[in-house]
Amino acid sequence: MRIAVIGGGIAGLATAAGIARAGAAVEVFERSSRGAAPGAGISLFPNSRAAMRTLGLLDGYDRRPHGPAPGTRTVMRRPNGKVALAFPAWARPKVRMFHRNDLREFLLDSCRGVPIHWDTAVALDDDGDTVRPAVLTTADGRQSAWDLVVAADGVRSATRGFLSLDPGLRYAGYTAWRGVTRGPADTGGMAGEDWGSRQRFGTVPLADGRVYWFAVASKQVGRTAAAEGLGSEKEAAEQEFASWYPAARALIAGTDAAEVLRHDLYDLARPLHVFHRGRVALAGDAAHAMTPDLGQGAGCGLEDAAALTSLLRGTAGPDADVGGLLERYSRRRAPKAARLLRASRLMGRLAQRERKAWRPGS
Ligand SMILES: Cc1cc2nc3c(=O)[nH]c(=O)nc-3n(C[C@H](O)[C@H](O)[C@H](O)COP(=O)(O)OP(=O)(O)OC[C@H]3O[C@@H](n4cnc5c(N)ncnc54)[C@H](O)[C@@H]3O)c2cc1C
């Protein structure tokens, strides 16, 4: 069976690595260049580890250095730094914290032998049926035919629209700044997410002592530092969190301005009930873009990759029933992803509430 994956993000690369191990001939098309993943971290929960096992990547995943260090306490602090909630320290923390580029390099290593076409945007031209293959076209008009296409083309997936499955996106009402400190930083042995009033701050220690932080604030959509007359998004984050506790401000201050990212947060307006049409499957954010409030977006994409891998194992021959396989994929994945999308939205609403008593300084 010949399989194309659109998108070389976490979901696309994991899918390619898994289904190559399941015996299919797979190629990846990525519109960006090889480069490096942006300077941010990512937390992966135990469901990601279970997915890695199904993908055949568990040994490498377990060997990969990650944060937090054993014994780190997970806490929730108030904006004044007072610990409001503390969880017992794990000898072996269940959540693994990576720099996004480390995770990407691991997935790229796992794709060794899989052709990855960088700088190659593709568009779906035909989703195929029981007799017709699916067809992709590159920007310069080259067409190729595939037994199966996995579209892992992200939150703004054009494929989702082509398949008439797009419910549109919903702005969540809040924006996130993210950064990784330029060198090791002291977190006092703590990690976690702090809630204020319509603001949150997260501290995520990485394997090499650097710290990934995120800072979330309720804002109108489309606001930028430049529009507010500020020199950089780092300055905007510093201004927004100016009255938070010193260790939070020190993490922002310890990050190079060019490395601070800002994104308004979106999810799918409604969860999808099916993830496929014809010979095309959606995976990752293309299928279930959710807000990051439960830290499950990438984990869910890894679960999609694992589901496709296990369905293809032993059935990746030229006569495979692709339609039946994708029916099973949708049934296996869509209900759980819908629950997580709704739960993330709910968590975001709760976390971003106005809490006068939790304003900085109170
Ligand atoms: C602030 C923030 C914090 C987050 N924190 C976490 C966390 O802690 N844990 C977690 O699990 N998740 C987290 N997430 C979610 C996670 O980042 C995403 O769910 C995940 O990265 C999505 O991966 P993906 O491969 O589906 O999509 P993407 O990473 O968006 O990859 C899609 C790829 O497709 C390519 N592409 C698009 N169109 C085409 C085309 N036509 N042709 C070729 N290539 C194309 C793009 O260039 C891109 O590389 C967070 C998200 C945000 C915004």
Side-chain angles (χ1 to χ4, degrees):
M1 193 190 290
R2 290 188 71 235
I3 302 177
V5 174
I6 310 177
I10 293 170
L13 292 177
T15 302
I19 61 185
R21 280 165 179 72
V26 56
E27 299 186 26
V28 179
F29 294 89
E30 168 54 53
R31 68 181 173 192
S32 308
S33 40
R34 166 75 173 79
I42 191 157
S43 303
L44 295 181
F45 287 78
N47 60 322
S48 295
R49 185 169 183 270
M52 292 291 182
R53 186 192 301 278
T54 307
L55 291 166
L57 305 180
L58 189 59
D59 281 356
Y61 182 71
D62 279 349
R63 277 201 306 273
R64 208 79 195 173
H66 60 82
T72 303
R73 281 194 312 149
T74 304
V75 296
M76 180 195 271
R77 281 168 280 195
R78 296 275 181 85
N80 62 12
K82 221 155 116 196
V83 174
L85 259 178
F87 300 91
W90 295 97
R92 290 175 61 198
K94 300 254 185 246
V95 184
R96 296 186 184 191
M97 300 165 178
F98 296 96
H99 193 289
R100 278 182 184 251
N101 203 47
D102 289 343
L103 182 62
R104 177 175 144 102
E105 288 303 318
F106 166 62
L107 292 173
L108 281 171
D109 272 359
S110 309
C111 282
R112 214 169 288 154
V114 172
I116 301 182
H117 307 279
W118 299 105
D119 303 300
T120 308
V122 286
L124 184 67
D125 250 2
D126 187 341
D127 54 309
D129 59 20
T130 45
V131 283
R132 282 193 342 272
V135 177
L136 294 181
T137 309
T138 56
D140 59 5
R142 276 175 295 139
Q143 289 202 318
S144 51
W146 303 90
D147 298 307
L148 168 61
V149 170
V150 179
D153 50 350
V155 56
R156 295 179 193 281
S157 165
T159 316
R160 192 173 64 224
F162 183 96
L163 300 179
S164 308
L165 291 174
D166 200 346
L169 296 176
R170 176 200 70 111
Y171 175 51
Y174 38 95
T175 196
W177 290 273
R178 289 177 289 169
V180 176
T181 56
R182 77 180 70 86
D186 184 13
T187 67
M190 290 186 268
E193 180 175 302
D194 313 320
W195 290 11
S197 183
R198 301 171 73 78
Q199 291 177 322
R200 275 178 284 166
F201 190 86
T203 302
V204 183
L206 303 176
D208 62 3
R210 288 183 297 165
V211 176
Y212 160 55
W213 56 266
F214 55 88
V216 182
S218 299
K219 291 275 171 207
Q220 279 174 355
V221 69
R223 299 284 285 272
T224 60
E228 287 166 21
L230 300 169
S232 68
E233 288 299 347
K234 173 177 172 174
E235 220 178 305
E238 284 181 321
Q239 186 168 301
E240 181 74 27
F241 286 80
S243 40
W244 275 59
Y245 62 93
R249 286 186 281 126
L251 294 179
I252 305 176
T255 305
D256 292 331
E259 299 295 319
V260 176
L261 308 170
R262 178 181 184 168
H263 287 97
D264 288 345
L265 300 177
Y266 290 85
D267 59 6
L268 290 189
R270 286 185 311 283
L272 303 186
H273 298 298
V274 287
F275 283 1
H276 76 284
R277 209 185 79 180
R279 291 177 175 271
V280 182
L282 298 174
D285 279 10
H288 44 61
M290 59 187 73
T291 61
D293 299 291
L294 293 174
Q296 273 295 333
C300 226
L302 291 169
E303 287 193 26
D304 298 338
L308 286 164
T309 297
S310 67
L311 288 166
L312 278 161
R313 204 166 273 143
T315 58
D319 302 326
D321 168 17
V322 174
L325 186 144
L326 294 185
E327 289 281 346
R328 291 197 289 283
Y329 170 64
S330 279
R331 275 204 302 274
R332 199 178 281 189
R333 292 297 306 134
K336 179 174 178 188
R339 284 197 296 277
L340 278 170
L341 192 156
R342 289 198 191 94
S344 300
R345 183 178 293 181
L346 201 65
M347 180 58 95
R349 282 197 181 130
L350 184 68
Q352 287 303 121
R353 276 189 15 198
E354 168 109 40
R355 292 179 191 85
K356 292 201 171 88
W358 288 17
R359 281 192 182 141
S362 44

